[in-house]
Amino acid sequence: MLTRKEAQEEAVLSVIHINDEPIGSGSIRQLVADRGLAISEATIGRILKELDQKDYTVKKGFQGRTLTQKGYERLCELKHRREHSTIRKELEETLSPENKKNMLDMLVARRAIEGEIAALAATHITSQEIDAMERVLAHHELHRQRGQYGVEQDIHFHQLLARASRNRVLEKAMDLILQSGRRSPTLEFIRKEVNGNIIDDHLRIFEAIKEKNPDKARSAMISHMENVTRDVTLYWKSH
């Protein structure tokens, strides 16, 4: 569990990280507030000063601040600790027959919807979207090497696929499933416990899409969903 100060630090680092350009303190404060975390102007200033002193951020004149590699590593550490706490709480809530059925029902729905999404994405994806997907996979792999959960990268990968499908109905359906389930941390934890591997599945999907092969992409996505379903079932049997 993060302390209040650490939660504020994570929010500020995260806002700076998602901006490609240097960002000023006023914009940081507003974007943090948009996430539901109200921080006073004085506190933001104090946090930013501490981040600069620790070499987590660097000030670019009057333009604002950007994240350093050290700052990105600190952000990953804070996210990992928060996600680990969330996962433990989720597991306590999900280890029941009813929740098991709900999770498996969600995976059945995702198998049908995302199989078609992957096939369409293989047809319509742009080179810019391929580059973005490759960056997400690289970040996810970095998290794996550090023993951290790549929850945001997992969700982002599937969101990028849905967007690349160019089908608004399927994209909305995927958004609803991800928002209503929000079980990505638990699913990744479960797969680790039974030696499953999300990233290897994602890489196979990515390669098929990069080859512009709809049938191969659909098959890779269906295999991914079947692997997740198998791992969830195995986990429940052993617990």
Side-chain angles (χ1 to χ4, degrees), residues 6-24:
E6 287 173 333
Q8 291 175 338
E9 182 183 343
E10 184 202 357
V12 171
L13 288 171
S14 183
V15 163
I16 297 172
H17 173 59
I18 62 174
N19 280 273
D20 296 328
E21 302 294 331
I23 181 170

mmCIF file of all heavy atoms in Angstrom, residues 6-24:
data_model
loop_
_atom_site.group_PDB
_atom_site.id
_atom_site.type_symbol
_atom_site.label_atom_id
_atom_site.label_comp_id
_atom_site.label_asym_id
_atom_site.label_seq_id
_atom_site.Cartn_x
_atom_site.Cartn_y
_atom_site.Cartn_z
ATOM 1 N N GLU A 6 3.465 9.025 -1.400
ATOM 2 C CA GLU A 6 3.891 8.194 -2.526
ATOM 3 C C GLU A 6 2.824 8.166 -3.616
ATOM 4 O O GLU A 6 3.157 8.149 -4.813
ATOM 5 C CB GLU A 6 4.186 6.780 -2.041
ATOM 6 C CG GLU A 6 5.476 6.665 -1.240
ATOM 7 C CD GLU A 6 5.658 5.292 -0.625
ATOM 8 O OE1 GLU A 6 4.645 4.609 -0.367
ATOM 9 O OE2 GLU A 6 6.822 4.901 -0.394
ATOM 10 N N ALA A 7 1.552 8.164 -3.227
ATOM 11 C CA ALA A 7 0.462 8.194 -4.209
ATOM 12 C C ALA A 7 0.502 9.496 -5.004
ATOM 13 O O ALA A 7 0.271 9.500 -6.222
ATOM 14 C CB ALA A 7 -0.882 8.043 -3.499
ATOM 15 N N GLN A 8 0.784 10.599 -4.317
ATOM 16 C CA GLN A 8 0.906 11.887 -5.000
ATOM 17 C C GLN A 8 2.101 11.876 -5.951
ATOM 18 O O GLN A 8 2.017 12.355 -7.083
ATOM 19 C CB GLN A 8 1.068 13.007 -3.970
ATOM 20 C CG GLN A 8 -0.174 13.269 -3.139
ATOM 21 C CD GLN A 8 0.067 14.295 -2.044
ATOM 22 O OE1 GLN A 8 1.208 14.527 -1.612
ATOM 23 N NE2 GLN A 8 -0.996 14.926 -1.567
ATOM 24 N N GLU A 9 3.207 11.297 -5.482
ATOM 25 C CA GLU A 9 4.415 11.210 -6.310
ATOM 26 C C GLU A 9 4.157 10.378 -7.558
ATOM 27 O O GLU A 9 4.548 10.753 -8.678
ATOM 28 C CB GLU A 9 5.548 10.592 -5.491
ATOM 29 C CG GLU A 9 6.865 10.495 -6.228
ATOM 30 C CD GLU A 9 7.946 9.816 -5.407
ATOM 31 O OE1 GLU A 9 7.787 9.708 -4.164
ATOM 32 O OE2 GLU A 9 8.953 9.377 -6.008
ATOM 33 N N GLU A 10 3.468 9.246 -7.394
ATOM 34 C CA GLU A 10 3.153 8.393 -8.548
ATOM 35 C C GLU A 10 2.287 9.128 -9.556
ATOM 36 O O GLU A 10 2.523 9.062 -10.765
ATOM 37 C CB GLU A 10 2.439 7.119 -8.100
ATOM 38 C CG GLU A 10 2.191 6.163 -9.260
ATOM 39 C CD GLU A 10 1.072 5.169 -9.015
ATOM 40 O OE1 GLU A 10 0.498 5.156 -7.920
ATOM 41 O OE2 GLU A 10 0.752 4.417 -9.959
ATOM 42 N N ALA A 11 1.276 9.846 -9.064
ATOM 43 C CA ALA A 11 0.371 10.576 -9.959
ATOM 44 C C ALA A 11 1.123 11.632 -10.763
ATOM 45 O O ALA A 11 0.915 11.777 -11.972
ATOM 46 C CB ALA A 11 -0.743 11.227 -9.143
ATOM 47 N N VAL A 12 2.014 12.365 -10.099
ATOM 48 C CA VAL A 12 2.778 13.418 -10.782
ATOM 49 C C VAL A 12 3.732 12.808 -11.809
ATOM 50 O O VAL A 12 3.799 13.258 -12.959
ATOM 51 C CB VAL A 12 3.566 14.270 -9.749
ATOM 52 C CG1 VAL A 12 4.532 15.210 -10.464
ATOM 53 C CG2 VAL A 12 2.593 15.068 -8.881
ATOM 54 N N LEU A 13 4.452 11.769 -11.418
ATOM 55 C CA LEU A 13 5.380 11.111 -12.350
ATOM 56 C C LEU A 13 4.641 10.532 -13.554
ATOM 57 O O LEU A 13 5.120 10.610 -14.687
ATOM 58 C CB LEU A 13 6.143 9.997 -11.634
ATOM 59 C CG LEU A 13 7.219 10.425 -10.622
ATOM 60 C CD1 LEU A 13 7.721 9.217 -9.843
ATOM 61 C CD2 LEU A 13 8.376 11.121 -11.318
ATOM 62 N N SER A 14 3.466 9.963 -13.302
ATOM 63 C CA SER A 14 2.679 9.356 -14.372
ATOM 64 C C SER A 14 2.205 10.401 -15.381
ATOM 65 O O SER A 14 2.268 10.175 -16.594
ATOM 66 C CB SER A 14 1.475 8.620 -13.774
ATOM 67 O OG SER A 14 0.750 7.964 -14.779
ATOM 68 N N VAL A 15 1.759 11.533 -14.888
ATOM 69 C CA VAL A 15 1.298 12.625 -15.762
ATOM 70 C C VAL A 15 2.442 13.143 -16.625
ATOM 71 O O VAL A 15 2.278 13.401 -17.824
ATOM 72 C CB VAL A 15 0.686 13.762 -14.915
ATOM 73 C CG1 VAL A 15 0.586 15.045 -15.727
ATOM 74 C CG2 VAL A 15 -0.691 13.366 -14.407
ATOM 75 N N ILE A 16 3.617 13.297 -16.015
ATOM 76 C CA ILE A 16 4.784 13.766 -16.776
ATOM 77 C C ILE A 16 5.176 12.727 -17.824
ATOM 78 O O ILE A 16 5.506 13.063 -18.962
ATOM 79 C CB ILE A 16 5.972 14.053 -15.831
ATOM 80 C CG1 ILE A 16 5.619 15.185 -14.864
ATOM 81 C CG2 ILE A 16 7.227 14.425 -16.625
ATOM 82 C CD1 ILE A 16 6.647 15.426 -13.772
ATOM 83 N N HIS A 17 5.085 11.451 -17.441
ATOM 84 C CA HIS A 17 5.497 10.366 -18.342
ATOM 85 C C HIS A 17 4.649 10.281 -19.609
ATOM 86 O O HIS A 17 5.180 10.041 -20.697
ATOM 87 C CB HIS A 17 5.422 9.036 -17.586
ATOM 88 C CG HIS A 17 5.667 7.835 -18.445
ATOM 89 N ND1 HIS A 17 6.834 7.648 -19.145
ATOM 90 C CD2 HIS A 17 4.871 6.754 -18.721
ATOM 91 C CE1 HIS A 17 6.759 6.515 -19.818
ATOM 92 N NE2 HIS A 17 5.595 5.953 -19.586
ATOM 93 N N ILE A 18 3.346 10.481 -19.484
ATOM 94 C CA ILE A 18 2.462 10.298 -20.645
ATOM 95 C C ILE A 18 2.509 11.480 -21.617
ATOM 96 O O ILE A 18 1.933 11.402 -22.702
ATOM 97 C CB ILE A 18 0.990 10.056 -20.218
ATOM 98 C CG1 ILE A 18 0.436 11.264 -19.449
ATOM 99 C CG2 ILE A 18 0.877 8.781 -19.400
ATOM 100 C CD1 ILE A 18 -1.029 11.156 -19.120
ATOM 101 N N ASN A 19 3.198 12.562 -21.235
ATOM 102 C CA ASN A 19 3.321 13.718 -22.127
ATOM 103 C C ASN A 19 4.628 13.648 -22.897
ATOM 104 O O ASN A 19 5.702 13.477 -22.312
ATOM 105 C CB ASN A 19 3.257 15.022 -21.324
ATOM 106 C CG ASN A 19 1.832 15.413 -20.974
ATOM 107 O OD1 ASN A 19 1.146 16.068 -21.738
ATOM 108 N ND2 ASN A 19 1.374 14.958 -19.821
ATOM 109 N N ASP A 20 4.531 13.771 -24.206
ATOM 110 C CA ASP A 20 5.722 13.711 -25.053
ATOM 111 C C ASP A 20 6.587 14.957 -24.923
ATOM 112 O O ASP A 20 7.790 14.918 -25.151
ATOM 113 C CB ASP A 20 5.318 13.526 -26.524
ATOM 114 C CG ASP A 20 4.624 12.195 -26.763
ATOM 115 O OD1 ASP A 20 4.973 11.228 -26.060
ATOM 116 O OD2 ASP A 20 3.740 12.137 -27.629
ATOM 117 N N GLU A 21 5.950 16.075 -24.574
ATOM 118 C CA GLU A 21 6.659 17.350 -24.461
ATOM 119 C C GLU A 21 6.789 17.740 -22.992
ATOM 120 O O GLU A 21 6.047 17.243 -22.144
ATOM 121 C CB GLU A 21 5.892 18.443 -25.221
ATOM 122 C CG GLU A 21 5.675 18.158 -26.704
ATOM 123 C CD GLU A 21 6.980 18.149 -27.478
ATOM 124 O OE1 GLU A 21 7.920 18.855 -27.059
ATOM 125 O OE2 GLU A 21 7.056 17.429 -28.495
ATOM 126 N N PRO A 22 7.730 18.644 -22.661
ATOM 127 C CA PRO A 22 7.829 19.141 -21.278
ATOM 128 C C PRO A 22 6.489 19.722 -20.828
ATOM 129 O O PRO A 22 5.775 20.340 -21.615
ATOM 130 C CB PRO A 22 8.895 20.245 -21.384
ATOM 131 C CG PRO A 22 9.731 19.853 -22.563
ATOM 132 C CD PRO A 22 8.771 19.224 -23.536
ATOM 133 N N ILE A 23 6.144 19.520 -19.582
ATOM 134 C CA ILE A 23 4.851 19.952 -19.063
ATOM 135 C C ILE A 23 5.051 20.803 -17.810
ATOM 136 O O ILE A 23 5.879 20.475 -16.951
ATOM 137 C CB ILE A 23 3.948 18.733 -18.772
ATOM 138 C CG1 ILE A 23 2.582 19.175 -18.249
ATOM 139 C CG2 ILE A 23 4.611 17.749 -17.836
ATOM 140 C CD1 ILE A 23 1.573 18.044 -18.162
ATOM 141 N N GLY A 24 4.284 21.909 -17.714
ATOM 142 C CA GLY A 24 4.417 22.837 -16.616
ATOM 143 C C GLY A 24 3.651 22.403 -15.381
ATOM 144 O O GLY A 24 2.775 21.531 -15.449
#
